[in-house]
Amino acid sequence: MNALRALEAVAARQPIGVGELARELGLPKSTVQRSLKTLHEAGWIRPAGGEVTRWQVTSKVLRLARTTELSLRDAAMPVMEELRQRTGETIHLMVPEGDAVVLIERLETDKPVRIVLPLGIRLPLHASANGKAVLAHLDRPLGELPAYTENTITDPAALRAELERVRARGYADNRGEWRSDIAAVAAAVLGPSGPVASLSVSTPAGRMTETLRAEYGALVTEAAAALSRR
């Protein structure tokens, strides 16, 4: 477990030295050094050079991440296209990463008024439909809940109640909680050990009526379940 934590920290902060890594993880330097030795021997990290040894991930990590991401995208594209055809709106595929979800694929609406998010953008778990869809299936304490708009849920008790509703109905929604001009519904794509991704239907806020919210929520729940089975 310490080696995995060390690998994640190196990937996030590379290049990073042993002392800095030990402070980041809250572990003794000797423990971190053993983890780094294990990771280095297995080919996951390598020295980045310089007078003091600093570490960075190898292409082995990057190949694994790319293969996993491509496999998910390949499985998701037909499901996403069908969802776009049925809703006529923008479809997003996001994956959990730390305290956020990251956009890895999108299919855009043909409508002239649309919301365009760049690939790679990170959205907060507590303030986005994709994030709440994932968070509802994670067994973890709630951290800080910063406000992004006046609609952001920042009270832990209120967010826990919201996540209960997400689990009960199968999908999460976003009512201008990250950006006031965006509305969305999303459902988690579940693997054997929890959420691996989320699918969403995203629209300008003014276009998401309550009727459409329920309709799109049912459709995205169905699509996420289909992708989970794949």
Side-chain angles (χ1 to χ4, degrees):
M1 181 61 71
N2 285 336
L4 179 58
R5 291 180 61 202
L7 179 60
E8 290 176 339
V10 171
R13 302 284 297 279
Q14 63 181 324
I16 187 171
V18 176
E20 185 182 356
L21 193 57
R23 290 191 296 274
E24 176 82 12
L25 298 175
L27 294 172
K29 287 180 66 175
S30 58
T31 300
V32 173
Q33 285 173 328
R34 286 195 297 272
S35 296
L36 293 174
K37 182 175 184 292
T38 298
L39 292 169
H40 185 215
E41 290 175 348
W44 293 106
I45 62 172
R46 64 180 176 83
E51 295 182 4
V52 178
T53 301
R54 300 174 71 80
W55 296 92
Q56 64 187 48
V57 298
T58 66
S59 60
K60 184 176 181 179
V61 174
L62 301 177
R63 288 196 305 273
L64 177 62
R66 184 63 176 160
T67 299
T68 302
E69 186 175 291
L70 284 174
S71 176
L72 175 61
R73 280 176 166 156
D74 288 346
M77 285 302 289
V79 176
M80 294 175 67
E81 180 57 42
E82 182 178 355
L83 188 56
R84 179 172 64 169
Q85 293 293 329
R86 297 179 73 179
T87 64
E89 296 290 357
T90 296
I91 310 303
H92 289 145
L93 175 67
M94 298 192 179
V95 295
E97 185 177 288
D99 292 327
V101 283
V102 179
L103 179 61
I104 65 168
E105 190 57 88
R106 67 169 185 258
L107 294 178
E108 291 186 12
T109 179
D110 292 330
K111 297 175 181 177
V113 179
R114 68 186 74 179
I115 300 294
V116 179
L117 300 181
L119 294 179
I121 192 171
R122 296 170 61 87
L123 304 186
L125 290 179
H126 73 289
S128 63
N130 284 279
K132 287 189 290 183
V134 166
L135 190 57
H137 295 278
L138 292 177
D139 182 16
R140 59 188 291 181
L142 300 177
E144 293 186 18
L145 305 174
Y148 294 89
T149 73
E150 61 181 12
N151 295 324
T152 306
I153 301 174
T154 58
D155 176 68
L159 182 57
R160 281 190 286 270
E162 173 73 2
L163 297 178
E164 285 287 348
R165 289 190 288 272
V166 171
R167 286 188 288 270
R169 70 188 174 205
Y171 67 90
D173 66 349
N174 173 14
R175 299 170 180 259
E177 295 157 47
W178 175 62
R179 275 176 39 182
S180 59
D181 59 338
I182 294 179
V185 291
V189 178
L190 300 175
S193 58
V196 297
S198 61
L199 279 174
S200 67
V201 179
S202 183
T203 78
R207 200 152 71 216
M208 183 76 81
T209 65
E210 289 302 314
T211 299
L212 285 177
R213 192 183 304 275
E215 178 184 332
Y216 293 168
L219 290 173
V220 79
T221 301
E222 179 184 330
L227 183 52
S228 296
R229 290 191 295 272
R230 285 172 177 246

